[in-house]
Amino acid sequence: MTLLKLLALILLSIGQAVVLVALVNRSHALPMSHERLRLIRHVHDLLVPLFPVLLFWCLGFSGPRLLFGGSWSDVGWGWRVYLFVCALGVMGLGYSTLRHWLHRRPAVLESIHSRIVDVAAEFDRPLIGRAPFAWMLRLPLNEALTVEVNTKTLRLPTLPPEWDGVKVLHLSDWHFMGHVDLPYYERVVDLLLEQDFDMALFTGDLLDREELSEWVPRTMGRLKAPLGCYFILGNHDWYLDAGAICQQLQKLGWIDVSGRTQTVERNGAAITLAGDETPWMGEHPAWSADDSFRLLLSHTPDNLPRARRERVDLMLSGHVHGGQVVLPIFGPVYAPSKYGVKYAGGVYHQPPTLLHVSRGLSGRHPLRFRCRPEVTRLVLKRG
């Protein structure tokens, strides 16, 4: 019985951590101030390690002394309510793990070709700059200074025949903050320029420090495409001067599609491209009745239900960083979404919409465990 109680206390401690992670994930899906979100993260950082200590001390070694023959009936009602919440966390972890294991690659994803590049190993000096979280880059097993260069072939039955085979760069979440130094991003752009692509699409979160806008011409500014480069911004850009970031990108030839639609032609046939920065900025784009193939840039995958109602064919998102930490067995952990880690990264087909979520290239917290940064070229085929 004592071993069962010990196991129960361990599981309840895990459940409490799951509840706190869920709070962090859902709060970061809302248009809240950076200061308030930081407070929520501090509460998370404090309670995740502290709660198991309190739980074992207050219930296991003192109070009802569960680990020494005590009874659950002696646990106070305040603790019972809280332990019930923790039990819900355990159930939520089980559900999330099961969903992770049952997720299958959609049939419309025809192929994936990946190249792993250890960018840090190519330099004879560290690529770690000066920023509050730069120390994370020195942690063992952190993959934040590598990059996965992907080519994914997608089959889309509504794609115009004239667009068959078009190659689209999907870039997201570069997070210029300073902990990852500029040469890393320049090397990634070099890798992108080695590829053939027709369009470049960026789905937000470019800057975390305004003074690093000087990096933009040396990175994003080097990308050109025959069918154009289009962008929206994200919540981290919203924390800064989003208007100035937008103007700088436009001066470099990038086209802002936030809250509006843009017709793009290829071989005499047109598709409609639109952008959505909500819930942080702007408004939802207004599609016209005669829009044919619809391609939506949305910083967060949380806009998927609306995209499905509006018959969007292809939706590109970022924001959730693939979960940043992907645990063996359990899957992704941290994904700032009201759906938690459901759309942490990859391809999801919920007809009529095909969603591609980029893991992004960096983050405010440069911690990547079994979740490499990525840049992706999408090859769109008529299926």
Side-chain angles (χ1 to χ4, degrees):
M1 291 297 295
T2 299
L3 289 177
L4 289 177
K5 291 174 184 176
L6 174 63
L7 177 61
L9 292 178
I10 293 174
L11 287 175
L12 290 170
S13 298
I14 294 173
Q16 193 258 2
V18 172
V19 171
L20 290 173
V21 169
L23 173 63
V24 169
N25 286 343
R26 271 67 178 184
S27 62
H28 280 69
L30 303 175
M32 300 173 63
S33 69
H34 179 63
E35 290 73 19
R36 186 171 299 179
L37 292 175
R38 183 167 55 186
L39 176 61
I40 293 174
R41 288 196 302 271
H42 287 339
V43 172
H44 162 277
D45 296 343
L46 176 65
L47 290 184
V48 166
L50 181 60
F51 178 78
V53 176
L54 293 176
L55 180 65
F56 273 80
W57 177 255
C58 295
L59 300 185
F61 295 100
S62 62
R65 293 174 58 84
L66 296 176
L67 298 179
F68 298 93
S71 171
W72 288 102
S73 61
D74 295 329
V75 176
W77 279 104
W79 272 108
R80 291 189 188 188
V81 171
Y82 197 82
L83 294 181
F84 175 74
V85 174
C86 296
L88 293 179
V90 175
M91 296 172 61
L93 177 62
Y95 172 76
S96 177
T97 302
L98 182 63
R99 183 180 62 200
H100 173 68
W101 277 92
L102 293 179
H103 178 70
R104 294 292 180 265
R105 193 170 99 175
V108 292
L109 175 56
E110 184 177 276
S111 64
I112 303 177
H113 299 282
S114 299
R115 174 189 175 192
I116 306 299
V117 179
D118 188 344
V119 179
E122 296 182 352
F123 290 81
D124 57 4
R125 68 175 184 85
L127 299 183
I128 303 175
R130 295 184 178 182
F133 304 105
W135 59 270
M136 291 184 175
L137 293 168
R138 304 183 187 277
L139 294 176
L141 304 179
N142 190 356
E143 300 172 319
L145 293 177
T146 66
V147 65
E148 184 174 311
V149 184
N150 291 318
T151 295
K152 302 179 182 180
T153 301
L154 306 177
R155 287 283 179 179
L156 297 158
T158 55
L159 187 72
E162 296 83 356
W163 281 72
D164 186 58
V166 69
K167 302 174 183 66
V168 178
L169 281 186
H170 179 198
L171 312 173
S172 194
D173 297 84
W174 284 25
H175 289 277
F176 293 166
M177 185 172 176
H179 39 45
V180 178
D181 214 351
L182 175 60
Y184 171 84
Y185 295 98
E186 292 179 315
R187 176 57 180 143
V188 170
V189 173
D190 291 340
L191 295 171
L192 293 174
L193 293 175
E194 293 174 2
Q195 302 190 75
D196 174 33
F197 55 90
D198 303 296
M199 296 176 68
L201 306 175
F202 183 75
T203 50
D205 276 359
L206 180 59
L207 291 179
D208 276 276
R209 288 170 53 190
E210 291 180 352
E211 60 269 28
L212 296 185
S213 60
E214 62 184 22
W215 290 11
V216 180
R218 300 171 62 177
T219 52
M220 298 278 288
R222 295 168 56 199
L223 297 173
K224 310 294 179 185
L227 298 179
C229 300
Y230 305 86
F231 77 94
I232 60 172
L233 299 180
N235 58 305
H236 283 252
D237 305 305
W238 174 61
Y239 299 147
L240 307 177
D241 187 346
I245 300 171
C246 183
Q247 290 178 11
Q248 183 180 25
L249 284 171
Q250 289 176 318
K251 289 179 181 179
L252 293 170
W254 287 74
I255 300 170
D256 179 17
V257 293
S258 173
R260 68 181 189 88
T261 59
Q262 169 94 26
T263 299
V264 185
E265 290 193 3
R266 182 178 191 254
N267 298 331
I271 69 167
T272 303
L273 175 66
D276 193 337
E277 297 171 342
T278 64
W280 298 280
M281 296 178 286
E283 56 189 18
H284 301 290
W287 304 93
S288 63
D290 59 349
D291 288 336
S292 52
F293 187 88
R294 300 180 176 186
L295 199 167
L296 176 67
L297 309 185
S298 171
H299 181 59
T300 174
D302 289 358
N303 289 322
L304 177 59
R306 183 182 184 90
R308 296 181 66 196
R309 292 194 301 269
E310 295 181 337
R311 297 181 294 105
V312 169
D313 298 281
L314 178 60
M315 174 175 162
L316 306 183
S317 297
H319 184 57
V320 288
H321 301 180
Q324 291 207 195
V325 173
V326 179
L327 297 177
I329 300 175
F330 300 107
V333 178
Y334 292 102
S337 165
K338 64 183 179 182
Y339 301 108
V341 297
K342 184 176 182 180
Y343 304 112
V347 179
Y348 306 87
H349 191 205
Q350 295 195 4
T353 303
L354 179 62
L355 169 66
H356 180 261
V357 182
S358 171
R359 297 195 300 269
L361 196 56
S362 188
R364 185 173 182 83
H365 300 86
L367 180 63
R368 295 294 186 115
F369 175 64
R370 300 180 74 244
C371 182
R372 294 183 189 275
E374 73 168 333
V375 289
T376 302
R377 183 178 64 161
L378 302 175
V379 181
L380 307 186
K381 294 282 190 177
R382 181 176 172 86

